[in-house]
Amino acid sequence: MLTSNTIVVIADDLTGANDTALQFFTKGAVTEILLDYEKIPVKNLPIDTWAVSTESRNKTPEEAYKRTEEAFNIFKEKFNVDFFYKKIDSTLRGNIAQEILAALNATGKDCAIISPAFVQEGRITIGGFQLVKGVPVERTEAARDPHVPVYESNLVNILKKQMPNNEDSVGLIDFSIVSKGAAPLVMKLNELIKSGKKLIVVDAVSVVDIEQIVLAMKKSNYDILPCGSAGLAQVLANNWLEEVKIQNFKKAVPPMPKLILSGSATELSALQLKKVQDDEDIKNSYFISLKIEDILNGVSDNILNRVISNLQKTNIVAVHVSEIEKELEDENSTANELLIDEGVSKDDLADKITKYLATLAQKVKQEKDFVLITIGGETSYRCCKALYCENLQVIDTILPAIPLCLGSNAQLVITKSGNLGTTTTLVEILKYFERHE
């Protein structure tokens, strides 16, 4: 067994692993992200926080359970783990119930507290319902996710539907109790656990609420597994890493071109790219909007040459799929006919998009060095794998949920979920480099 005391974060996709790991890094923890939980370094490295993606969000419930349980068990066997954290999506995508049950089985915890609120991103939980900037999650773009659409905003109902034989093990602590503070929270928590509840959803509409949830966990008589978004992780970092000293020094990065690869078709991603195009302070940017035909035909020499020829000095090249949805909706477009002819479903198309962008990243890397900026969880994972970035070390904070990472092959990487941030997030990421190069 490796002897280091540590925090372990298990997420179902890479962007989730990264934004959660960042919360512990900002408190001074040496933080490493793994793309494959079966490839933990054998040396006893001085790592305070490990984060890993099981890449199970789009898998079957059975496969998600298996991967999650394996990941927890491997870390439990190899490390003297102080704290486990199960990351779940703040828009409720994925196999949430199965993965939490797998985590409970592996760790032997008494129950899981589930708090997906991420207040800084406008995501709150009230009455068990998840709202994104005041809108029920089922009415947001999460409902149109090509792999795991969200048709329900009530997390309690989602959990019950995902585990129909164990509905009675799901509980809720609503805002009327949370608002009264930690003491009533502890009483209700202990009561629910004693009655057999294993998955307990807790409302939160502010950071103060999350702080009270964490305090109640500490005061409870039971051994509890925290499950949530980067919002809960941020508060836990303040408790778990109280004595870690934060080193404040300015990072310097080499001046390099930036390659943005976006496999996200969300409206927010499209707006973020447009903001970059329209920003007068961002110069020397070049955009390639991929079409259905491009994806089906694979990476052409034409597109590859356009990317490489424009990746000069500190230029920005963005390759994206923001127009594909419009192409599919255009009555005069042959896009739908192409998909039918090729026997490609919309789910298949999403998969082909991420494979295309990963192949493009690999081909470009053979000719040019660049900073990689990826948008979308699956895109981020596949592009990093294509560039042989098996490990990512967090080296700086760009934004509260956006880390700068250094790959195991010295590749600089920034990953971002397709539905995270504001319209100016991508502009802010690029301006980070203007300040630090």
Side-chain angles (χ1 to χ4, degrees):
M1 175 186 285
L2 299 179
T3 57
S4 56
N5 296 331
T6 190
I7 295 165
V8 173
V9 176
I10 309 289
D12 66 352
D13 83 335
L14 183 58
T15 55
N18 289 358
D19 66 33
T20 304
L22 177 63
Q23 308 313 312
F24 299 101
F25 170 82
T26 57
K27 285 293 292 182
V30 178
T31 304
E32 189 92 5
I33 299 148
L34 302 177
L35 273 69
D36 189 339
Y37 58 83
E38 294 180 334
K39 295 181 180 178
I40 299 173
V42 294
K43 292 190 294 185
N44 190 1
L45 300 175
I47 305 296
D48 300 305
T49 300
W50 292 96
V52 65
S53 170
T54 55
E55 289 303 302
S56 52
R57 179 173 297 175
N58 306 332
K59 301 299 181 182
T60 64
E62 295 77 16
E63 179 66 16
Y65 185 101
K66 176 176 175 288
R67 290 188 180 204
T68 305
E69 186 176 42
E70 285 177 350
F72 274 94
N73 279 333
I74 286 173
F75 276 99
K76 188 178 177 182
E77 290 167 7
K78 291 193 175 183
F79 288 84
N80 181 16
V81 179
D82 285 326
F83 304 104
F84 277 113
Y85 186 76
K86 179 66 187 84
K87 164 68 166 64
I88 65 170
D89 180 45
S90 59
T91 59
L92 310 186
R93 292 171 296 168
N95 299 288
I96 299 173
Q98 290 82 0
E99 296 196 5
I100 294 175
L101 287 174
L104 288 175
N105 188 50
T107 59
K109 302 283 187 181
D110 294 317
C111 80
I113 269 191
I114 308 170
S115 175
F118 193 180
V119 178
Q120 295 88 332
E121 287 290 320
R123 300 170 189 191
I124 65 169
T125 314
I126 185 77
F129 286 84
Q130 191 73 355
L131 306 182
V132 179
K133 296 176 181 175
V135 179
V137 71
E138 68 194 81
R139 295 184 180 175
T140 68
E141 289 191 284
R144 299 191 294 276
D145 187 288
H147 293 295
V148 280
V150 178
Y151 301 122
E152 169 74 71
S153 301
N154 189 307
L155 180 52
V156 173
N157 290 344
I158 289 174
L159 296 171
K160 287 182 176 181
K161 287 176 183 177
Q162 289 184 354
M163 42 189 289
N165 298 323
N166 294 285
E167 289 185 17
D168 291 341
S169 64
V170 181
L172 170 68
I173 301 179
D174 64 28
F175 186 69
S176 64
I177 295 172
V178 176
S179 63
K180 295 174 183 175
L185 246 172
V186 172
M187 291 177 62
K188 185 63 177 179
L189 182 60
N190 289 342
E191 175 192 322
L192 289 174
I193 298 171
K194 190 175 181 179
S195 69
K197 304 301 183 187
K198 288 287 187 181
L199 280 65
I200 301 172
V201 177
V202 188
D203 281 354
V205 301
S206 70
V207 174
V208 171
D209 296 331
I210 299 174
E211 289 171 344
Q212 295 305 302
I213 292 168
V214 171
L215 185 57
M217 286 175 57
K218 290 176 69 175
K219 290 185 175 183
S220 172
N221 301 324
Y222 294 94
D223 192 7
I224 299 170
L225 175 70
C227 307
S229 68
L232 176 60
Q234 183 183 66
V235 175
L236 285 169
N238 292 329
N239 286 265
W240 290 352
L241 297 168
E242 296 176 295
E243 298 179 1
V244 175
K245 294 181 180 179
I246 302 173
Q247 297 180 0
N248 293 313
F249 54 89
K250 186 176 180 180
K251 302 291 191 302
V253 295
M256 296 171 68
K258 288 81 185 171
L259 177 59
I260 302 171
L261 298 177
S262 175
S264 169
T266 66
E267 183 180 348
L268 179 58
S269 295
L271 289 171
Q272 290 171 342
L273 287 161
K274 190 173 187 308
K275 281 287 186 182
V276 173
Q277 283 183 291
D278 295 343
D279 195 299
E280 294 181 356
D281 293 331
I282 296 178
K283 305 186 187 302
N284 301 318
S285 59
Y286 183 78
F287 288 75
I288 299 175
S289 179
L290 296 173
K291 307 297 182 188
I292 296 287
E293 189 175 3
D294 296 322
I295 301 300
L296 296 180
N297 290 337
V299 178
S300 66
D301 289 341
N302 175 45
I303 287 182
L304 180 60
N305 291 334
R306 286 166 65 189
V307 173
I308 292 171
S309 62
N310 284 279
L311 272 180
Q312 306 294 332
K313 298 181 179 179
T314 58
N315 290 4
I316 300 156
V317 176
V319 183
H320 64 92
V321 295
S322 298
E323 301 297 320
I324 278 184
E325 200 65 38
K326 292 179 183 177
E327 189 183 1
L328 291 170
E329 293 171 357
D330 185 356
E331 295 179 359
N332 299 317
S333 170
T334 61
N336 286 296
E337 292 176 19
L338 282 171
L339 292 181
I340 293 170
D341 290 344
E342 295 291 331
V344 176
S345 67
K346 281 198 173 183
D347 198 44
D348 295 333
L349 178 61
D351 188 60
K352 284 183 176 294
I353 286 170
T354 55
K355 286 181 178 177
Y356 179 101
L357 294 172
T359 301
L360 179 62
Q362 191 174 62
K363 287 179 178 290
V364 174
K365 185 65 177 179
Q366 293 170 2
E367 303 291 333
K368 289 279 185 180
D369 283 327
F370 51 82
V371 175
L372 176 65
I373 302 172
T374 55
I375 303 176
E378 188 77 11
T379 299
S380 300
Y381 179 81
R382 284 192 169 168
C383 287
C384 286
K385 292 288 280 187
L387 298 183
Y388 308 105
C389 296
E390 295 297 337
N391 300 0
L392 298 172
Q393 184 172 9
V394 181
I395 59 173
D396 203 7
T397 304
I398 294 180
L399 290 170
I402 308 286
L404 174 64
C405 297
L406 184 67
S408 49
N409 59 348
Q411 172 70 52
L412 287 171
V413 177
I414 299 101
T415 67
K416 191 190 79 65
S417 172
N419 57 14
L420 184 138
T422 67
T423 57
T424 61
T425 294
L426 197 50
V427 170
E428 293 175 68
I429 290 172
L430 293 169
K431 289 189 174 179
Y432 166 91
F433 288 98
E434 292 181 6
R435 298 191 302 271
H436 292 81
E437 284 178 333

